[in-house]
Amino acid sequence: MRVRVEGDSMRPALVPGDWLLVRRGAAVHPGDLVVARLPGDPDRLIVKRAQWHGADGWWLESDNQQASGRRDSWDFGPVEEIVGRVVLRYWPLMRRG
C-alpha cells in the first residue's frame, strides 16, 4: 500500500509530502517504521517508529517529540495491530538540504 506523510512528528526521517511504500502484515522489529490505525480513530493511519513489543502490543513513538499535534504511545499506550511496515520512501526521489 502507499501512504502519504502528513505532519512533522517523524522529522527528520520523514517530512510532510513524502510517499511511502508499506508492506501489509510484514514482520516488525524494534526500530522499524510502521503504519498503524490511530487508537480512538481507526479510519486514520499513523506512521511511527516501533520501539518494543510487550504483552499489550507495540509501543510506537514519534521521532520528533516536540512536533505540534504529535500523538504516539505516550498518549494512547501500546498498539495491538500494526497495518504494515514501511519498506521505502519513494517520493520525492531526492530531498534538498
Side-chain angles (χ1 to χ4, degrees), residues 56-67:
D56 296 330
W58 278 98
W59 187 268
L60 306 179
E61 290 187 7
S62 303
D63 284 358
N64 179 5
Q65 290 292 314
Q66 303 302 317

Side-chain angles (χ1 to χ4, degrees), residues 6-7 35-47 69 71 83:
E6 297 179 7
V35 172
R37 298 200 181 280
L38 179 63
D41 188 0
D43 292 334
R44 188 168 176 196
L45 297 175
I46 55 173
V47 179
R71 305 255 340 254
V83 174

Side-chain angles (χ1 to χ4, degrees), residues 50-97:
Q51 292 297 338
W52 68 83
H53 189 267
D56 296 330
W58 278 98
W59 187 268
L60 306 179
E61 290 187 7
S62 303
D63 284 358
N64 179 5
Q65 290 292 314
Q66 303 302 317
S68 65
R70 173 212 52 82
R71 305 255 340 254
D72 60 19
S73 288
W74 291 106
D75 303 300
F76 47 71
V79 174
E80 290 182 35
E81 182 184 348
I82 301 295
V83 174
R85 179 174 43 87
V86 175
V87 176
L88 63 89
R89 178 185 58 81
Y90 70 89
W91 189 261
L93 296 177
M94 296 182 71
R95 220 188 266 149
R96 291 186 175 176

